[in-house]
Amino acid sequence: MRKVKKLNRILFCVFSCSFFLFFSCKINKAGKPADIDKIEGLATSKEWTVISSPYAAYRAGTSFSSDVIANGRQGDICEVKGKKLEVSERGTVIWYYSDEGWLSENDVLLCTNKMQADKASSDMLK
């Protein structure tokens, strides 16, 4: 009688394990295709700046005495095309170049991807 109970327990365990194994391994065919725009927004190969001060001056060169060629507002997002470290009597300043011109590090927040820049911009404009 003991052997029968022990055999029943073993068979029950084997059946239960195989039941859960069989029904837990099914193919999920309801997957969604990837949104390429969101994936490109996560790319870390480019850096982005978000203007953090109320107004910022895009300059022709990497100096505060350079001509102002355009203006930007808080929350504006630009792709970084270049960087330059400028040492002057005021101290060391990092300048970021975009299509509009040069911005100093004092006026921007640097982001490592486009989605981070979008989030920072929306948080600033709330």
Side-chain angles (χ1 to χ4, degrees):
M1 190 68 170
R2 283 185 136 184
K3 288 184 181 182
V4 172
K5 286 185 179 182
K6 189 173 184 180
L7 184 61
N8 284 342
R9 285 185 189 160
I10 293 172
L11 287 174
F12 178 75
C13 289
V14 169
F15 175 75
S16 298
C17 290
S18 61
F19 177 79
F20 288 117
L21 181 65
F22 179 75
F23 286 105
S24 65
C25 298
K26 64 179 183 175
I27 297 174
N28 185 4
K29 295 182 181 179
K32 295 180 182 178
D35 186 0
I36 299 300
D37 292 333
K38 289 184 180 178
I39 292 172
E40 288 176 358
L42 287 172
T44 58
S45 59
K46 300 176 186 176
E47 290 182 313
W48 300 83
T49 57
V50 180
I51 296 178
S52 57
S53 56
Y55 292 97
Y58 289 99
R59 300 195 178 266
T62 57
S63 170
F64 289 107
S65 60
S66 296
D67 292 336
V68 175
I69 55 176
N71 293 303
R73 290 184 165 184
Q74 185 176 30
D76 288 352
I77 300 171
C78 296
E79 182 182 346
V80 176
K81 305 280 182 157
K83 295 182 196 179
K84 186 173 181 186
L85 184 68
E86 186 71 24
V87 180
S88 68
E89 63 277 351
R90 290 185 177 181
T92 304
V93 179
I94 300 172
W95 290 84
Y96 299 101
Y97 181 73
S98 66
D99 291 333
E100 291 82 8
W102 291 93
L103 284 171
S104 78
E105 67 179 333
N106 302 329
D107 293 325
V108 298
L109 173 67
L110 185 65
C111 299
T112 57
N113 60 49
K114 180 76 164 89
M115 288 183 75
Q116 186 182 27
D118 290 336
K119 173 78 168 106
S121 176
S122 67
D123 288 348
M124 284 180 197
L125 298 175
K126 283 184 180 178

